[in-house]
Amino acid sequence: MKLREFAKQLGLSPTTVSRALSGYPEVSETTRARVASEAMRLGYRPDINAVRLKTGRAGAIGVMMGRSGEIHFAEFVSGMAQRLETTDTDILITPITAHNDDDEIQAYRRLVESRRVDAVIIHSPRPRDPRIEMLNSLGVPFLVHGRSETEHVHAWLDIDNENAVRRVTEHLLDLGHRRIAMINGLRGKTYSIHREQGFRIAHQERGVTADPSLMVCDKFSDESGFRHARSFLESANAPTAIIAGSTMTALGVYRAVRSLGMTVGQDVSVIAHDDVFPYLTAENMVPSLSTTRSSMRAAGTRCAELTLQLIAGRPAEEIHELWPVELILRESTAPPR
């Protein structure tokens, strides 16, 4: 089916249909959804070679996959795929084994200069992220999943990490906990810095001193959760509550508590950031886990949409989205004994 024939069946102009499928921001969401739905129903697919020859585009969005966070990365890419499945835009995943900033910068540079992608999505930025400066210098559209404090203009989507951890810390303090531990994400990342700020602010506003010895940074995994929680709980002045940076980390915390003959929700309260994994749900843990909820898959879907808009010409300075985080209380948090 040709573009003109498909457009005629929809009662739209070929230009409108083409722009709807390409993610142009001037096309309404209602029209875009209708065109995408009908394209799937009728089996319409643009001639990719013709489109790329005409537009000069590669038809792909690039993302880098590091050596950690594979589970979160898989959820994010699944969300991207949901948005891109009707756009004939591919996801180019490049493994990165960089050991320092220079290696990582060169990996991004090679990806962009290969002209295999039309845009790039950056994950887990730092406050002064050199990748943002480099991509700006190359003039390629890019979106940051997270935020950076760099002076270079960049489009971004982030969750309110500071307020999320502030709220869970306030909840635990209001329950009566005064020894609260936090297993944060990787040190130096903006989201980890914001989470620590929320943790400290909550303590300050309640007139309680946060113990630096109960604050650690590490990758989100069952192993790190177990190791740090066990160390905390075996210390002379053990915490009565633990904030885990992710559900995966919380699994290790649960395991550490049980290995010491203790009970989550009774001897130790646990609360975590929950990325809504389809195969690991907080409400099915025993006891059910209190969380701040934010879907990594939904973030992937929205990041793909915003990146399409960047490719279509929307200015980066117009794209700044900060998502609130929902607090869900379950059985894993209670007043200290």
Side-chain angles (χ1 to χ4, degrees), residues 195-241:
R195 291 182 182 189
E196 181 176 330
Q197 288 173 348
F199 185 76
R200 291 183 179 277
I201 290 171
H203 278 83
Q204 291 169 0
E205 292 187 343
R206 294 295 195 280
V208 180
T209 301
D211 187 347
S213 68
L214 295 179
M215 301 163 62
V216 295
C217 291
D218 209 334
K219 63 181 180 180
F220 297 140
S221 69
D222 173 271
E223 183 277 331
S224 65
F226 176 84
R227 176 164 41 85
H228 291 301
R230 179 99 186 194
S231 176
F232 288 147
L233 295 172
E234 288 181 323
S235 64
N237 199 1
T240 59

Side-chain angles (χ1 to χ4, degrees), residues 247 250-251 254 258 264 274 276-291 293 328-332:
T247 313
L251 280 179
Y254 270 47
R258 289 168 180 153
V264 172
D274 172 26
V276 196
F277 300 121
Y279 39 82
L280 175 59
T281 55
E283 56 266 31
N284 289 338
M285 294 175 67
V286 182
S288 58
L289 177 65
S290 295
T291 62
R293 171 173 287 180
I328 302 174
L329 300 178
R330 299 189 180 93
E331 299 171 335
S332 65

Side-chain angles (χ1 to χ4, degrees), residues 58-61 92 94 110-118:
I61 296 172
L92 180 59
T94 302
R110 286 194 300 271
L111 174 63
V112 172
E113 293 181 344
S114 72
R115 299 190 177 184
R116 293 180 294 163
V117 298
D118 300 310

